[in-house]
Amino acid sequence: MFRQYLCEICGHIYDEALGAPQEGIAPGTRWEDVPDSWVCPDCGVTKSDFGLCES
Amino acid sequence: MSAAVATPVVTPVVTPVVIVGTGLAGYNLAREFRKLDSDTPLLLISADDGRSYSKPMLSTGFGKHKDADGLSMAEPGAMAEQLKAEIYTHTRITGIDPGHKRLWIGEEPVAYRDLVLAWGAEPIRVPVAGDAQDAILPINDLEDYARFRAAAAGKKRVLLLGAGLIGCEFANDLSLGGYQVELVAPCEQVMPGLLHPAAAAAVQAGLESLGARFHLGPVLASLNRTGAGLQGRLSDGTPIACDLVLSAVGLRPRTELAAAAGLQVNRGIMVDRELRSSHANIYALGDCAEVDGLNLQYVMPLMHCARALAQTLAGKPSAVSYGPMPVTVKTPVCPLVVSPPPRDRPGEWTVEGSGSDIRALCRDVAGSLLGYALTGTAVQEKLALNKQLPALLA
């Protein structure tokens, strides 16, 4: 099951099912496999500012 | 040493790096600095309660049913521990003495190795006549938000001043929260200067579909108390009954103390691309800073600055560079992403789409993309378009 992670600064959602293909992160990429250098495409904060979406 | 305290204690043996401000600029700089330097004493000074929170989320709180505590992410004590820093809360600095590398908190001097000004911007106030001017509230930080929520409890009608990005976000959020919004601004469209008129019309129509009413052109001339609430009168004579007023007419970088200390200021505190002010050992970033001529009050440029300045403070001078800086506006009723063309780059706009789905593109004579405004479903194109945009500080 794919999970979603929410940027707590701006509200952007990283969806594991969708990945971030424009930034070289393939659909299906798990959160833990997203590189630590990746930043929020909407506000520029790092992975540590994201939290798991409870659903 | 990890406690957040309100009064200065003994000056440490090694003079600290001092950051004035515990907003996103101050805390993110501290965090990036600590990744590179875990030893140098770090002191953060805040005029507010020092809680860590995301200011962009203030304009989503009503829709998400979150009060101020719900938006707070960490207490200052927890931040002090995490950052190995001392944090003074509810402490206002009163002066800077660059010649002696110290600042003043009233009569109390605080020495610094390097000083970072991250004290933000402050709401512009517009003059309004009448006996209820104190009912006009800004929301520029978490404590403002708590005050506004307290004032709005049990109320129905909000008169909102300002049709810029923040005004539109609050119009959307307050409407979602069940309030009747009357938006008043002396401009011809929403987000003037930032947004192409076609995209502005789409956003306005979206907000109107939520029940918000727009009064574009006049200003609020007077506000008076009545038995049941407040009575506003616009400059064109229109009366508007309301329960409270939210002021979102814009923000001005805080420059007063910097100017008084002899630092060069323009729109903001002037700094170069290493975030250095006109005086040695004093830096600025975030909403208060004008970086190589650019004062951009958004998170993305602030994060770039925090990373570059952390390197510089840790002994490796680093210049900041900005790529494209598109802005995502939180008006969920009509999603909007906008990247205004850089200053002094003339271009021609083309507009496609209709209704809520607008794609407005600005290109120069050679056909290169300079900027865009995307609304509704067109926002999906932003990442592909971003790759074609020029950098703001190459």
Side-chain angles (χ1 to χ4, degrees), chain A residues 9-10 22 42-44 49, chain B residues 31 54 57 307 382 387:
Chain A
I9 304 303
C10 77
Q22 301 280 357
D42 283 351
C43 77
D49 283 311
Chain B
R31 192 155 72 162
S54 168
M57 294 289 108
R307 291 188 183 108
K382 69 176 176 179
K387 292 181 192 288

Side-chain angles (χ1 to χ4, degrees), chain B residues 98-373:
Chain B
H100 298 93
K101 288 174 58 171
R102 63 185 176 182
L103 57 83
W104 293 94
I105 300 167
E107 304 289 300
E108 191 80 36
V110 176
Y112 59 80
R113 187 199 83 181
D114 293 294
L115 173 63
V116 181
L117 308 179
W119 58 34
E122 94 191 349
I124 294 169
R125 288 169 197 280
V126 291
V128 174
D131 66 8
Q133 298 168 43
D134 59 329
I136 302 176
L137 303 174
I139 301 182
N140 191 41
D141 59 42
L142 191 61
E143 292 177 59
D144 286 345
Y145 179 75
R147 268 189 292 275
F148 183 83
R149 275 196 79 102
K155 305 286 173 56
K156 282 269 173 258
R157 305 160 299 173
V158 178
L159 196 163
L160 203 164
L161 298 176
L165 185 156
I166 302 296
C168 288
E169 291 190 349
F170 276 118
N172 198 140
D173 194 48
L174 289 167
S175 297
L176 290 179
Y179 291 89
Q180 170 62 51
V181 173
E182 306 275 355
L183 192 150
V184 175
C187 45
E188 291 177 353
Q189 63 161 79
V190 301
M191 292 178 254
L194 180 67
L195 195 53
H196 186 279
V203 173
Q204 183 176 338
L207 294 171
E208 284 169 340
S209 76
L210 293 176
R213 288 195 281 256
F214 284 77
H215 308 270
L216 298 183
V219 297
L220 179 63
S222 66
L223 186 68
N224 286 286
R225 291 183 199 287
T226 61
L230 303 171
Q231 183 65 48
R233 185 167 293 276
L234 306 188
S235 52
D236 64 6
T238 309
I240 296 181
C242 59
D243 302 311
L244 72 164
V245 181
L246 172 57
S247 179
V249 297
L251 297 174
R252 183 182 291 131
R254 293 194 176 106
T255 56
E256 254 177 47
L257 281 183
L263 272 56
Q264 281 183 17
V265 304
N266 182 40
R267 176 173 156 73
I269 300 164
M270 293 173 75
V271 296
D272 64 15
R273 290 178 59 169
E274 291 185 4
L275 294 321
R276 295 176 197 276
S277 74
S278 59
H279 210 287
N281 302 96
I282 302 180
Y283 303 80
L285 83 165
D287 289 359
C288 68
E290 181 177 320
V291 183
D292 199 12
L294 291 179
N295 171 248
L296 301 174
Q297 298 175 358
Y298 306 108
V299 181
M300 180 99 71
L302 173 165
M303 289 302 301
H304 284 273
C305 291
R307 291 188 183 108
L309 182 51
Q311 296 276 350
T312 299
L313 292 174
K316 187 179 160 216
S318 301
V320 73
S321 57
Y322 292 165
M325 292 283 169
V327 179
T328 301
V329 182
K330 289 183 286 301
T331 45
V333 70
C334 179
L336 166 66
V337 184
V338 56
S339 189
R343 302 166 302 179
D344 57 43
R345 292 284 298 271
E348 290 284 333
W349 285 90
T350 55
V351 180
E352 292 164 25
S354 61
S356 59
D357 306 321
I358 298 293
R359 180 173 180 267
L361 304 181
C362 180
R363 297 184 185 279
D364 66 13
V365 285
S368 299
L369 187 69
L370 296 178
Y372 65 68

Side-chain angles (χ1 to χ4, degrees), chain A:
Chain A
M1 208 189 86
F2 291 115
R3 294 162 300 179
Q4 293 187 328
Y5 287 82
L6 175 75
C7 174
E8 291 171 351
I9 304 303
C10 77
H12 176 84
I13 288 173
Y14 175 81
D15 186 328
E16 290 181 333
L18 303 176
Q22 301 280 357
E23 296 150 79
I25 296 172
T29 303
R30 293 294 181 187
W31 182 245
E32 48 272 27
D33 298 327
V34 173
D36 285 337
S37 59
W38 183 80
V39 299
C40 174
D42 283 351
C43 77
V45 300
T46 49
K47 279 179 73 181
S48 60
D49 283 311
F50 281 69
L52 180 63
C53 291
E54 318 284 349
S55 55

Side-chain angles (χ1 to χ4, degrees), chain B residues 369-380:
Chain B
L369 187 69
L370 296 178
Y372 65 68
L374 306 171
T375 69
T377 56
V379 300
Q380 290 160 14

